[in-house]
Amino acid sequence: KGAGIALSIIIDPRPLLISQQFQLSAFVAVAAREFFARYAGPGVTIKWPNDIYWNDKKAGGILIESGIGSKTDNRWIWAIAGIGLNINQDSFAPDLPNPVSLHQVTGQTYDTAELARALCAEVDAHFRLLLTKGFKPIHKQYLDHLYKKDQAVQLKKENRLFEAVIKTVRPGGQLVVQHGVEEEYSFGEVEWVIR
C-alpha cells in the first residue's frame, strides 16, 4: 500500500476508429511519460509500444483492454487503460530485470493518491488534445521521447535474436527498425531483449 500507482481509467474511445487503437495507446503513454518526467526530470522515455522508462530502467507500464461490438456491429464500445507506475518502492523482486521507482530517482517519498489524481488529469488533458488537435501532436511527442531511437538494440522474433537500430514508430503503431534492410513490426511480432 502506498508504494506505487496501479489504476484503471475507463475511456470512451468512440471518437476513434477501431483501426486507430494505437492512437489511444500512444496518448496514454505520452501522458504517463509527461507525468513521470514532471517529477523525475530528464531521461524519461517511452519504450515501444507503451512502457515508461527512466534511463535504462522500467518505471511503469500500460495495458489497454478494449470492447468491440458484435461481428455485425463492428464498433469500438469501450476501452480501459491500466497504468502502473513505480513510485515509492525501495526494492523489487530479484527476478525483475530493470525496475526503478520515482523514489529511487529523486530520493523523495510521495503521496500516491495525490499523484494518481494528477496522473488522471494528465491523461484527460492528453485525450482532449487528441480529440481537438488530432494525432499529429501526440505522435510527435511519442517520437520525441522514443526509447533508444537511432540506437542499436537486441530484438527477438520467434527464436531469432538480432540487433537492429530503432528508427521510428509509424502512426499505425508499427515499430520500424534498420538492420541491413528496413523492417517494421506490429505489436506482438517482436520483443525487446533487456538484460
Side-chain angles (χ1 to χ4, degrees), residues 19 32 42 75 108 182 193:
S19 60
R75 290 179 301 125
Q108 298 180 41
E182 190 172 276
V193 178

Side-chain angles (χ1 to χ4, degrees), residues 9 15 20 33 43 52 75 112 143 156 159 167 175 194:
I9 300 174
Q20 297 172 313
R33 191 222 69 86
I52 306 303
R75 290 179 301 125
T112 52
L143 295 179
K156 181 179 180 184
N159 293 326
K167 298 310 288 180
L175 177 69
I194 303 289

Side-chain angles (χ1 to χ4, degrees), residues 34-94:
E34 193 161 305
F35 164 81
F36 200 84
R38 185 183 313 151
Y39 302 92
V44 183
T45 56
I46 301 167
K47 183 173 87 54
W48 177 83
N50 54 17
D51 283 336
I52 306 303
Y53 265 55
W54 178 78
N55 293 334
D56 286 324
K57 296 182 177 287
K58 185 175 178 178
I62 297 159
L63 291 172
I64 307 285
E65 185 86 22
S66 295
I68 296 170
S70 66
K71 291 179 182 177
T72 56
D73 183 19
N74 195 20
R75 290 179 301 125
W76 202 355
I77 298 172
W78 54 265
I80 299 174
I83 306 171
L85 292 172
N86 302 329
I87 303 298
N88 290 323
Q89 292 91 334
D90 282 322
S91 61
F92 294 90

Side-chain angles (χ1 to χ4, degrees), residues 116-129:
R117 285 189 289 277
L119 173 60
C120 288
E122 196 71 53
V123 170
D124 186 58
H126 278 80
F127 190 47
R128 291 176 193 280
L129 175 66

Side-chain angles (χ1 to χ4, degrees), residues 98-137:
N98 61 341
V100 69
S101 72
L102 188 57
H103 173 74
Q104 290 173 322
V105 173
T106 66
Q108 298 180 41
T109 301
Y110 298 87
D111 180 331
T112 52
E114 183 181 311
L115 262 57
R117 285 189 289 277
L119 173 60
C120 288
E122 196 71 53
V123 170
D124 186 58
H126 278 80
F127 190 47
R128 291 176 193 280
L129 175 66
L130 176 64
L131 296 181
T132 57
K133 302 288 185 185
F135 185 56
K136 195 170 184 177

